Amino acid sequence: MFGFQCSIFKYSVKGGLKNIIMRARTFRTWLEYLQASGRLAVVDKRVSLKYEIAAVAKKLDGQKAVYFTQVEDYSTPVVSGICSTRQQFAEALETDQFELIPKFIQAVSAPLPCRLVKKKDAPVKENVILKDIDLMKTLPIPIHHEKDSGHYITAGLFIVRDPVTRKQNVSIHRLQVSGKDRLGILILPRHTFHLYKQAEEAGKPLECAIVIGVDPITLLASQASTPFGVDELEISGALRGEPLEVVRCETVDIDVPAHAEIVLEGKILPQVREPEGPFGEFPQYYGPRSDKEVVQITAITHRDNPIYYTIVPAGYEHLLLGGIPREASLFQSVRQTVPSVKAVHMSLGGTCRYHAIISIKKRNEGEAKNAILAAFANSFDIKHVVVVDEEVDVFNMEEVEWAVATRFQADRDLIVI
């Protein structure tokens, strides 16, 4: 079923891994890096969008990214699983997993403004579609789970702009294909929701762009927990050590990564709600069907020979994308109360949302309790917190469980909120 090819791209890695410069500069350079390091499985067999792509990607979850060369009824290949381990995210940021969070925190605190480039210098502008838009005819958008209500875009960076400050906000939302040029969207009550409600109350649509196929640094930066008004694309620049190149959209006032594979431009319509869901979500349960906001697509731009990128919901890639930025936020919160905190970890078993492990260098009685309270204050998602001594590796769950087994007595050490 799997056939590894020497070169699946227009250009290949030369000079070995040591000579790769900016391995995560673009989506394609990252795929080349995975290919060169033996972590990209190439599926030459014809596959269906319905369940099959998700099933194969899930089978190799945490082991290899998967590149599907022959997708039924499409000439566009599909990729999934480009960052399904902490180590891969660390490699993308050119660090190790222990310095990953400090580097992320530093970038969040010192964003680097983007560099606007001309359209002729932006690969994502190589093809522009302004008429007769048909999402399913253009893009191989999968159905991931048996009870999903349809085809879902799961790896699109959703970008909107604050009309007052002109700062952009970047997030990822589940996007259901509900028509030839319409998407249903789940918008949680965060920054994008705030900007949309402002526009809706004024009777106006909110312009947006959906970016598919970006480098893993920008992908991770999009999930940063920041104050309102911080542009996550600028965090990507800080992580890269150079400004992220962006280009202005064709039909909306939004700047998007110039080296992306695909961009969908559109508007979230005011006072319009349509059925969306069910959809298999990160806790491995289905989110229910309900009436949600609607995005009207106004343009599609893409690179020559684009590669479509999908994230399998509840897979390691999905969980880590949510977990690593949460760890950065959690570390900062705990450090304000317990300065001797050494590391934090949102575990995969807790879906990188519900279980937090914190290591501290204990100096005074009560510090562990303070760390627990700080963790609960940081996120309403967290259900269980384990605090361990500094010599316990919080990323090794066997060590964490050993610490609980040998150093914890529920009658005196358990704190219930």
Side-chain angles (χ1 to χ4, degrees):
M1 183 175 182
F2 301 103
F4 191 77
Q5 302 175 349
C6 292
S7 180
I8 58 175
F9 310 107
K10 292 173 65 177
Y11 44 88
S12 60
V13 175
K14 296 180 180 179
L17 297 183
K18 291 183 179 179
N19 294 328
I20 295 176
I21 300 175
M22 289 299 291
R23 61 185 68 148
R25 185 174 185 274
T26 71
F27 185 72
R28 297 190 182 198
T29 59
W30 181 248
L31 292 181
E32 289 178 336
Y33 176 69
L34 294 178
Q35 179 189 16
S37 57
R39 291 176 289 178
L40 182 69
V42 180
V43 177
D44 293 323
K45 177 186 175 183
R46 190 176 182 85
V47 295
S48 170
L49 289 179
K50 189 174 182 180
Y51 313 146
E52 195 166 9
I53 285 175
V56 175
K58 183 67 174 178
K59 182 72 173 179
L60 292 177
D61 196 17
Q63 303 173 52
K64 290 186 176 184
V66 192
Y67 184 95
F68 299 92
T69 63
Q70 298 186 53
V71 180
E72 191 174 71
D73 300 325
Y74 293 88
S75 60
T76 301
V78 174
V79 168
S80 188
I82 67 167
C83 271
S84 57
T85 68
R86 294 181 66 88
Q87 179 60 32
Q88 286 175 332
F89 277 111
E91 289 177 41
L93 270 61
E94 300 184 354
T95 186
D96 58 43
Q97 63 175 338
F98 298 102
E99 294 301 317
L100 177 60
I101 297 305
K103 185 167 184 176
F104 195 85
I105 291 172
Q106 175 60 31
V108 171
S109 67
L112 187 61
C114 298
R115 179 187 296 124
L116 188 65
V117 301
K118 296 179 180 179
K119 293 180 180 180
K120 66 180 180 62
D121 297 322
V124 77
K125 295 293 187 179
E126 289 170 346
N127 299 269
V128 179
I129 303 171
L130 300 174
K131 296 180 180 180
D132 302 321
I133 294 171
D134 191 320
L135 292 168
M136 287 309 305
K137 283 187 177 180
T138 306
L139 301 174
I141 305 171
I143 300 176
H144 297 89
H145 301 124
E146 179 184 4
K147 295 182 181 179
D148 285 355
S149 56
H151 300 263
Y152 269 86
I153 298 170
T154 57
L157 303 192
F158 198 90
I159 306 177
V160 296
R161 189 189 293 278
D162 187 328
V164 177
T165 66
R166 293 198 54 77
K167 282 288 188 179
Q168 296 191 156
N169 183 75
V170 189
S171 51
I172 297 178
H173 305 265
R174 72 190 204 203
L175 296 160
Q176 172 191 284
V177 179
S178 54
K180 290 176 60 176
D181 57 357
R182 291 167 79 89
L183 298 167
I185 178 173
L186 171 64
I187 310 177
L188 296 176
R190 296 169 186 163
H191 299 166
T192 297
F193 180 81
H194 172 70
L195 291 172
Y196 170 66
K197 294 306 290 184
Q198 279 188 334
E200 185 177 50
E201 288 168 4
K204 299 178 180 179
L206 180 65
E207 294 184 339
C208 62
I210 300 158
V211 185
I212 301 168
V214 298
D215 62 272
I217 296 175
T218 304
L219 191 69
L220 186 63
S222 75
Q223 299 304 289
S225 298
T226 65
F228 182 70
V230 176
D231 186 344
E232 287 82 0
L233 296 185
E234 295 183 357
I235 295 174
S236 174
L239 288 169
R240 300 156 71 90
E242 64 177 17
L244 179 68
E245 292 186 345
V246 296
V247 65
R248 188 63 47 85
C249 285
E250 300 292 316
T251 61
V252 294
D253 182 24
I254 302 288
D255 296 329
V256 296
H259 292 269
E261 294 293 315
I262 301 159
V263 171
L264 311 180
E265 302 177 15
K267 301 176 181 180
I268 313 178
L269 302 177
Q271 310 300 333
V272 177
R273 304 291 187 272
E274 293 179 357
E276 183 273 335
F279 176 72
E281 271 286 3
F282 72 89
Q284 299 184 34
Y285 290 89
Y286 284 96
R289 186 178 185 85
S290 62
D291 289 340
K292 306 282 192 348
E293 289 78 11
V294 174
V295 178
Q296 181 76 45
I297 302 301
T298 55
I300 300 176
T301 69
H302 63 80
R303 297 180 65 138
D304 290 339
N305 305 308
I307 303 169
Y308 185 83
Y309 171 49
T310 189
I311 292 175
V312 176
Y316 292 150
E317 187 168 39
H318 185 188
L319 300 183
L320 288 168
L321 270 174
I324 292 171
R326 281 175 168 81
E327 289 173 354
S329 175
L330 176 61
F331 186 91
Q332 289 178 296
S333 292
V334 175
R335 185 168 57 183
Q336 291 176 3
T337 302
V338 184
S340 62
V341 60
K342 295 299 181 180
V344 302
H345 180 209
M346 304 295 291
S347 69
L348 287 168
T351 72
C352 292
R353 304 291 200 283
Y354 302 135
H355 290 175
I357 302 97
I358 303 168
S359 73
I360 65 172
K361 183 175 182 178
K362 182 181 174 182
R363 294 191 174 99
N364 301 291
E365 290 299 324
E367 285 185 321
K369 181 177 181 179
N370 289 341
I372 290 171
L373 295 173
F376 284 136
N378 172 260
S379 171
F380 58 78
D381 283 333
I382 294 176
K383 296 174 67 177
H384 300 143
V385 182
V386 176
V387 181
V388 297
D389 291 303
E390 61 179 319
E391 72 271 16
V392 177
D393 181 359
V394 297
F395 302 110
N396 184 330
M397 294 308 296
E398 184 177 346
E399 286 195 25
V400 173
E401 189 175 352
W402 169 84
V404 172
T406 63
R407 299 179 176 181
F408 169 79
Q409 294 296 334
D411 61 334
R412 67 168 185 257
D413 299 323
L414 179 66
I415 297 170
V416 180
I417 306 299

